[in-house]
Amino acid sequence: MWSVGLLNAVVGFAIFLLSTGMAQTCDVEFSPAEVIVKYGDPVTVTCRTNRTDIRAIGWETSVEPVEPKKSNSTVWNVSSLTVWDAEPRCFINFKAPPKQCDKLLNLIIYKLPSKVQITPQDSSTNMTEGRSYTLGCHIEKVAPSRYLQVMLYQGDQLLHKDSFPEDSNVGPVDKYKNWTIHPKAVDSGKEYKCVAQPEFGHQNIQSMQDSFTATILADPDSDRSKAARCVTAGIPMAVFVAAIIALCV
């Protein structure tokens, strides 16, 4: 059993902690909690605290900083955000410890590509089955590139999907991606399409794309092509097939 004196001491110490702020924490909240904004668009964010021992609250940023004032909230408002490294930070000075608190806003400023272009290695859309080809996709002036997904489709089939998670650039850059394909004659007439898609989790951003239609010729050395030439030359298909079977036995 605790003595009355000890209980009074514990209660008194708890009251002392609360009264001096030693039990307080850095309470800094944003609304919205994160911001994904297109370059040049407006942005408005409120910073607030639930603490009452406030001396001043404000915003430190390279764009439209907000002077400190004695309030439990402050608003950062920009009519057109055109600075890539704004890094808005809300700061609050309190009367009790911790006396100085600040928090960086989770802000992503993005720009859609100026252009997306897919090109075969020799700029020709005519291909031959059995050979390898390189397709290049050029994405111009996109930001930030670490959130970019680049996909190659053949018709509705996804062939490749790539990203640039290690890219630290915050402003617009050009990105390139090359893929090797092995076309088949049965796919002649299908589109090859490069899709550039910014991925920000729950927020959907429009994609941009470019495509071309490929004409894929049969391999001239394949049995199918040889059979077609034999038929064209007047040799019955049955004779050609029998000759192939004889060679394989």
Side-chain angles (χ1 to χ4, degrees):
M1 297 288 294
W2 286 11
S3 66
V4 174
L6 181 59
L7 284 173
N8 288 337
V10 171
V11 171
F13 184 65
I15 294 174
F16 170 76
L17 290 178
L18 292 173
S19 64
T20 59
M22 292 178 64
Q24 298 277 22
T25 60
C26 273
D27 178 45
V28 184
E29 301 176 357
F30 292 127
S31 179
E34 65 175 4
V35 176
I36 301 173
V37 59
K38 187 176 181 180
Y39 180 83
D41 279 2
V43 59
T44 300
V45 183
T46 300
C47 176
R48 63 169 53 89
T49 182
N50 293 313
R51 287 177 58 171
T52 57
D53 60 323
I54 303 164
R55 290 188 183 277
I57 182 173
W59 285 89
E60 292 178 345
T61 172
S62 59
V63 183
E64 301 292 342
V66 180
E67 291 296 321
K69 63 179 180 178
K70 188 174 182 180
S71 174
N72 70 336
S73 67
T74 181
V75 177
W76 182 56
N77 183 50
V78 181
S79 59
S80 176
L81 187 53
T82 57
V83 176
W84 294 103
D85 56 350
E87 296 187 344
R89 185 181 297 272
C90 178
F91 68 89
I92 308 178
N93 295 329
F94 297 103
K95 297 178 182 178
K99 291 186 176 182
Q100 293 183 332
C101 298
D102 64 86
K103 188 175 182 180
L104 182 67
L105 175 66
N106 185 9
L107 171 67
I108 298 175
I109 307 169
Y110 74 91
K111 176 187 176 300
L112 295 176
S114 300
K115 184 179 180 181
V116 175
Q117 185 174 23
I118 184 172
T119 309
Q121 61 185 11
D122 56 0
S123 299
S124 174
T125 58
N126 294 325
M127 304 178 185
T128 302
E129 183 180 41
R131 300 179 184 176
S132 298
Y133 295 87
T134 299
L135 302 183
C137 188
H138 180 199
I139 302 100
E140 295 183 8
K141 305 301 181 186
V142 61
S145 54
R146 67 180 178 275
Y147 294 103
L148 180 66
Q149 300 278 350
V150 182
M151 293 156 283
L152 175 66
Y153 286 87
Q154 181 193 62
D156 296 327
Q157 181 184 4
L158 176 63
L159 300 182
H160 296 280
K161 184 175 182 179
D162 297 279
S163 59
F164 312 91
E166 304 302 322
D167 197 331
S168 60
N169 292 295
V170 295
V173 294
D174 290 357
K175 304 302 293 185
Y176 302 86
K177 194 64 193 178
N178 291 328
W179 299 287
T180 299
I181 61 170
H182 307 278
K184 297 180 180 179
V186 293
D187 295 319
S188 185
K190 290 185 178 179
E191 276 191 340
Y192 282 96
K193 178 172 59 180
C194 176
V195 178
Q197 174 70 65
E199 292 282 355
F200 300 121
H202 59 277
Q203 185 164 337
N204 294 323
I205 306 296
Q206 73 181 84
S207 63
M208 294 187 66
Q209 63 186 48
D210 185 40
S211 63
F212 70 90
T213 301
T215 300
I216 305 171
L217 306 175
D219 183 353
D221 296 324
S222 69
D223 291 343
R224 181 171 52 196
S225 295
K226 292 177 181 177
R229 289 198 296 271
C230 286
V231 171
T232 302
I235 302 174
M237 179 63 75
V239 174
F240 176 79
V241 173
I244 293 297
I245 293 174
L247 290 174
C248 295
V249 175

